[in-house]
């Protein structure tokens, strides 16, 4: 077959165009990227975020207060739970409910604060010993559990006044030595709330 000069020229032009396209493609891919893709942006998005800095706005007094107040609250809640099955006094039933509803959320607040300080969550088991002011001994708790009626009411009020007084003493120590704003706010609430309940319980004892 006879190939004309014009056909030879067309084939040459097509070959040159293909070579140019190939060269451009290699140039775009030489840095490991493909057209339309931004690898630097995706790499940045995939990098892990920096860990939050550890808190430094607390001292040993704050930690001690929180670690001791948690089991202290736990015992008060345990005492409150005894009331419905042992007393028929409406005022005592209402007071026990108030104690439980106030101190259970504060226990969660204490746990959250300690974890934010990098400290382990407190444990209520065994109430952390009996070194804290106002904590009931095992014998006192057993006697309270065995009582019913008016005798239970009297024991409960007497013991809870002592328990609340101890909590207030601990809160005052925190206000004097702590530096963390949240811990000190909790201590302030403990003093205000539990002093009101002490006044109520003293009045109830006087009328019994």
């Amino acid at each position: 077959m006879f190939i004309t000069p014009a056909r030879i020229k067309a084939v040459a032009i097509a070959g040159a165009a293909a070579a140019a396209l190939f060269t451009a493609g290699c140039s775009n891919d030489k840095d490991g990227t493909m057209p339309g893709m931004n690898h630097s942006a995706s790499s940045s998005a995939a990098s892990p975020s920096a860990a939050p800095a550890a808190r430094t706005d607390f001292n040993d007094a704050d930690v001690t207060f929180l670690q001791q107040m948690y089991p202290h609250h736990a015992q008060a809640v345990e005492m409150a739970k005894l009331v419905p099955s042992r007393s028929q006094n409406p005022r005592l039933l209402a007071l026990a409910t108030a104690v439980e509803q106030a101190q259970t959320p504060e226990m969660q607040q204490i746990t959250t604060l300690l974890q934010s300080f990098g400290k382990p969550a407190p444990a209520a088991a065994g109430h952390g010993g009996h070194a804290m002011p106002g904590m009931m001994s095992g014998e006192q708790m057993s006697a309270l559990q065995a009582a019913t009626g008016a005798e239970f009411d009297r024991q409960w009020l007497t013991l809870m006044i002592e328990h609340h007084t101890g909590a207030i003493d601990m809160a005052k120590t925190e206000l004097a030595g702590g530096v963390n704003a949240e811990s000190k706010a909790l201590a302030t609430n403990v003093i205000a709330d539990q002093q009101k309940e002490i006044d109520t319980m003293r009045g109830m004892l006087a009328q019994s």
Side-chain angles (χ1 to χ4, degrees):
M1 181 179 67
F2 177 73
I3 301 175
T4 64
R7 184 173 180 84
I8 293 174
K9 182 178 181 180
V11 170
I13 291 173
L21 288 173
F22 177 78
T23 301
C26 290
S27 175
N28 287 339
D29 196 45
K30 67 182 179 180
D31 60 353
T33 64
M34 294 182 65
M37 294 185 66
N38 186 342
H39 283 268
S40 62
S42 62
S43 297
S44 175
S47 63
S49 58
R55 292 184 66 166
T56 58
D57 59 335
F58 66 94
N59 62 11
D60 290 343
D62 297 313
V63 174
T64 297
F65 168 68
L66 296 173
Q67 289 179 335
Q68 292 187 347
M69 190 57 75
Y70 186 94
H72 204 275
H73 273 20
Q75 188 178 68
V77 170
E78 182 181 346
M79 293 171 67
K81 290 180 181 293
L82 296 176
V83 174
S85 62
R86 292 168 172 80
S87 176
Q88 296 181 347
N89 185 329
R91 294 183 67 191
L92 186 57
L93 289 165
L95 179 60
T97 298
V99 168
E100 186 173 354
Q101 289 179 346
Q103 298 197 26
T104 299
E106 287 179 347
M107 291 170 67
Q108 180 56 55
Q109 180 185 358
I110 289 169
T111 298
T112 301
L113 266 174
L114 283 172
Q115 289 175 336
S116 75
F117 295 165
K119 305 298 180 181
H127 306 303
H130 302 290
M132 289 89 75
M135 289 289 282
M136 303 297 101
S137 67
E139 292 77 11
Q140 287 173 313
M141 288 297 294
S142 296
L144 184 63
Q145 291 168 349
T148 57
E151 177 59 23
F152 171 85
D153 296 351
R154 185 191 64 78
Q155 285 191 37
W156 194 93
L157 291 168
T158 301
L159 293 173
M160 191 61 85
I161 288 172
E162 182 179 349
H163 201 272
H164 275 20
T165 301
I168 289 174
D169 289 344
M170 291 163 62
K172 288 179 178 178
T173 299
E174 163 61 14
L175 292 180
V179 298
N180 179 260
E182 294 161 276
S183 299
K184 295 180 80 166
L186 174 62
T188 299
N189 290 337
V190 166
I191 293 171
D193 294 344
Q194 299 200 23
Q195 185 58 57
K196 288 180 182 178
E197 291 175 349
I198 287 173
D199 295 341
T200 297
M201 290 187 286
R202 283 175 175 163
M204 293 170 65
L205 272 177
Q207 296 172 3
S208 61

